Amino acid sequence: MVLYFHPIGYGPGKDDNLIYVGKDKHENEDLIKYGLPQDIWFHVSDLSSVHVYLRLPQGQTMNDISPENLDDCIQLVKANSITGNKTNNIDVVYTPWSNLKKTACMEVGQVGFHSNKLVKKVRVEKRINDIVNRLNKTKQELYPDLAAEREHYDRGIRAVRKAEVQDTRKAEKAAKDEEQRQADLRSYKNVMTADSMSSNKDMAQKYKSAADYEDDFM
């Protein structure tokens, strides 16, 4: 089961700008495995807590998180830490889902990071009940097929990339055709130069009559 929450800015029917949480460490494993590139992971630093994810709109990064959404996530993760919920001035770390590192020797639900440079830390002075209560009112308990959702996402990305390749090929062909057309025009102009054409005056000087021209032509 996955718990879903609606942060500030969430709109009905949207599948982004959404907070989701694994109910236990076993479900956290699936969230680690099937996350999306625009997901941002939150956890209380050095303490046990739930894994909170913020799904951003596609194309946005960790640097695009609004202050309001950041407060929602850090308050939710603090409230769902047994020790962190009772402690003031704790730190919460967050990083892109793609930076999460999972190895075979790690315990269930445990993760590391590929790069510490991509990990941010924020101090949380205290629990803000207004935020936590607002989020809890939006909580939904669902049983999504995370693997199917990830495959659906991947198919969409492949379709977009295929369309981009096709558009690029069409543009390249159009440019090549235009280049050939311009080359043909230049070639035609070279043939139809003044030096290679005879004017009426030139013809009159060369031939005394039309009969002489016809005889010469024949």
Side-chain angles (χ1 to χ4, degrees):
M1 181 174 65
V2 179
L3 307 178
Y4 291 89
F5 301 84
H6 300 167
I8 290 177
Y10 173 81
K14 295 176 62 177
D15 57 1
D16 55 30
N17 198 30
L18 182 70
I19 295 174
Y20 64 97
V21 180
K23 188 171 179 62
D24 55 41
K25 63 182 181 180
H26 297 285
E27 288 191 346
N28 285 335
E29 288 292 304
D30 287 337
L31 298 183
I32 295 167
K33 183 176 181 180
Y34 296 115
L36 301 185
Q38 62 264 36
D39 290 347
I40 308 298
W41 174 89
F42 292 79
H43 197 276
V44 175
S45 180
D46 300 323
L47 293 175
S48 175
S49 77
V50 297
H51 293 206
V52 170
Y53 291 83
L54 173 63
R55 177 154 295 171
L56 294 172
Q58 192 166 338
Q60 291 192 8
T61 69
M62 183 168 61
N63 296 325
D64 298 313
I65 299 176
S66 68
E68 295 81 8
N69 282 174
L70 183 60
D71 285 342
D72 282 356
C73 291
I74 62 179
Q75 283 296 323
L76 190 61
V77 75
K78 173 180 169 57
N80 288 277
S81 169
I82 295 175
T83 302
N85 185 45
K86 304 173 184 177
T87 308
N88 290 335
N89 295 311
I90 64 167
D91 290 326
V92 171
V93 294
Y94 60 106
T95 192
W97 166 83
S98 58
N99 192 42
L100 298 180
K101 180 180 180 181
K102 183 72 180 182
T103 61
C105 63
M106 289 181 175
E107 296 182 4
V108 175
Q110 183 181 7
V111 295
F113 307 119
H114 293 290
S115 172
N116 288 327
K117 293 181 180 180
L118 295 176
V119 180
K120 291 189 175 185
K121 182 181 292 187
V122 59
R123 174 58 57 95
V124 185
E125 294 183 1
K126 62 180 181 179
R127 170 174 169 148
I128 301 177
N129 286 325
D130 287 347
I131 293 178
V132 176
N133 292 339
R134 170 173 53 79
L135 289 170
N136 282 334
K137 288 179 181 178
T138 70
K139 182 172 69 175
Q140 291 181 295
E141 298 181 356
L142 302 176
Y143 296 85
D145 187 336
L146 297 173
E149 288 183 358
R150 179 58 199 245
E151 175 56 28
H152 176 75
Y153 171 85
D154 289 339
R155 282 200 305 269
I157 293 298
R158 288 193 296 268
V160 169
R161 291 176 178 171
K162 182 178 180 180
E164 289 175 347
V165 169
Q166 291 175 341
D167 289 343
T168 299
R169 289 176 177 172
K170 289 180 180 178
E172 291 174 347
K173 184 179 184 302
K176 186 176 181 180
D177 290 345
E178 176 62 18
E179 183 180 352
Q180 183 61 51
R181 189 180 73 85
Q182 293 294 336
D184 292 343
L185 286 174
R186 289 192 296 270
S187 176
Y188 177 76
K189 288 178 181 179
N190 289 335
V191 172
M192 301 296 291
T193 59
D195 292 341
S196 63
M197 298 177 67
S198 298
S199 67
N200 291 339
K201 184 177 180 181
D202 293 334
M203 297 291 288
Q205 292 175 348
K206 185 175 181 181
Y207 302 104
K208 294 181 180 180
S209 66
D212 292 338
Y213 170 75
E214 292 178 354
D215 290 341
D216 188 40
F217 179 75
M218 296 297 291

